[in-house]
Amino acid sequence: MAQTPGGTYYAASSELVSSWPATSLDLANQLESRFAAKAALAGATYTGTHNFTGATVTGVPQGLQLISSQSLSAVSTVSFNNIYSTTYSAYRLVIECVATTGFQNLQMRLRVGGADNSTTNYATQEIQADGSTVTAARPATTTSMTLGKTNTNGFHIVGDLIRPGDAEPTAYAALGVQNPAGLPGGWSFWGAQNQSTAFDGMTVFVGTGTITGRITVFGYREA
Amino acid sequence: MDNVLEVWGDTGEVVQRPFTAEEQAQREADADAQAKAEAAAISKAQAEAAARDAAITHAKSLGFTDEMIAVMYPNLAPAS
């Protein structure tokens, strides 16, 4: 038997193979199998259901990253703090709501440090379609920008904000539909806040009545 | 009424509260600006409608029919 520097006896590989050939072969096969399994993890395809509840998943590549999702119940103003940063260049905004007062503007102000920016540095370009009637407008030097129109039968908006968290002008582009259960009306709204300010949040509001539903914000994860 | 919902995306904290005095003042300013914008839009639309009606009346005084006006000026629809 061989001996470690500390004096412990052990079987050298030649003794192991000669004295216990079946055991040594089994041991070698197990090592080979485990090395092969580890190598197969790179580029593996997973199937079935995987429960990540409570897990911290790192190294996930491109895609939408949930920032905040908030249900609303009869509020006229909702402010989100600490949702925008330099981590992401672009953010997706999803609004699914119903309003107590229809056909009014759903407005947004950007904010930083818990305070709304109410300067006259906002502008909106809008196109609205209702049946065969199409209207357009571009209100400028306003104190907020328009995200869409409310409806008492529901209104849904999907929009992107570009660079709200950078010290650059912020752009916004959205599509919306109202009254999805009946004859839908649609619109496109493009907005801008032209100051080179890094914002960390936004306030969404209606001037009259309240809204109920959900607002969700995602970040576009690039790497 | 607690009509303001404030959400912190980093901590998940949510607070529902009434408007502050500053927020209430901003809402009143927003309402005034909105009312002025709507009044201006209505005034502009009324002026455009009056101009369309005057153009149609003038064209008819020259002998043009509604059909002829519609062909020559497809965007010149009567205001009402």
Side-chain angles (χ1 to χ4, degrees):
Chain A
M1 297 284 279
Q3 198 171 9
T4 67
T8 302
Y9 290 100
Y10 67 97
S13 58
S14 57
E15 295 173 316
L16 188 64
V17 172
S18 61
S19 302
W20 299 282
T23 301
S24 60
L25 177 61
D26 182 56
L27 181 60
N29 284 336
Q30 284 193 41
L31 287 171
E32 191 173 72
S33 173
R34 294 187 183 196
F35 279 128
K38 187 175 181 181
L41 287 175
T45 299
Y46 299 94
T47 59
T49 301
H50 302 270
N51 186 350
F52 291 99
T53 303
T56 299
V57 181
T58 61
V60 177
Q62 304 85 355
L64 289 175
Q65 178 78 21
L66 179 65
I67 304 293
S68 182
S69 184
Q70 182 60 48
S71 61
L72 321 173
S73 180
V75 295
S76 54
T77 297
V78 56
S79 293
F80 288 87
N81 300 309
N82 301 336
I83 56 170
Y84 302 136
S85 69
T86 55
T87 301
Y88 307 110
S89 293
Y91 294 82
R92 168 138 294 202
L93 187 60
V94 180
I95 299 174
E96 311 160 70
C97 287
V98 61
T100 57
T101 303
F103 305 108
Q104 62 171 322
N105 289 341
L106 183 73
Q107 295 293 117
M108 178 180 72
R109 282 195 176 97
L110 292 165
R111 63 185 353 229
V112 62
D116 286 354
N117 180 307
S118 301
T119 62
T120 57
N121 290 92
Y122 297 85
T124 303
Q125 172 68 61
E126 60 186 67
I127 294 178
Q128 298 182 54
D130 186 11
S132 59
T133 302
V134 177
T135 57
R138 186 168 60 190
T141 62
T142 52
T143 62
S144 60
M145 55 185 165
T146 306
L147 300 180
K149 291 283 184 180
T150 65
N151 192 281
T152 56
N153 293 322
F155 60 99
H156 303 267
I157 300 167
V158 177
D160 285 340
L161 271 83
I162 310 300
R163 308 194 72 176
D166 294 333
E168 300 282 346
T170 300
Y172 171 77
L175 292 172
V177 61
Q178 57 189 5
N179 192 23
L183 291 173
W187 63 78
S188 288
F189 280 86
W190 301 271
Q193 209 287 354
N194 64 18
Q195 290 177 289
S196 295
T197 302
F199 297 104
D200 62 20
M202 66 177 178
T203 291
V204 177
F205 62 98
V206 288
T208 305
T210 62
I211 54 175
T212 293
R214 177 170 292 278
I215 296 178
T216 305
V217 182
F218 297 93
Y220 280 90
R221 188 174 193 153
E222 297 174 355
Chain B
M1 290 180 66
D2 292 348
N3 270 349
V4 180
L5 194 68
E6 192 158 3
V7 181
W8 281 261
D10 53 343
T11 63
E13 182 184 0
V14 179
V15 172
Q16 190 153 357
R17 59 172 175 77
F19 289 110
T20 64
E22 185 180 357
E23 288 169 340
Q24 188 60 46
Q26 183 62 57
R27 283 183 68 77
E28 289 168 7
D30 290 343
D32 288 345
Q34 181 68 21
K36 286 178 183 173
E38 287 175 359
I42 291 170
S43 178
K44 183 170 180 276
Q46 288 175 337
E48 289 173 351
R52 281 197 305 274
D53 289 345
I56 291 170
T57 300
H58 182 65
K60 286 183 176 178
S61 74
L62 297 175
F64 293 106
T65 64
D66 286 337
E67 291 74 17
M68 295 164 82
I69 294 170
V71 169
M72 290 188 297
Y73 307 105
N75 294 323
L76 194 62
S80 57

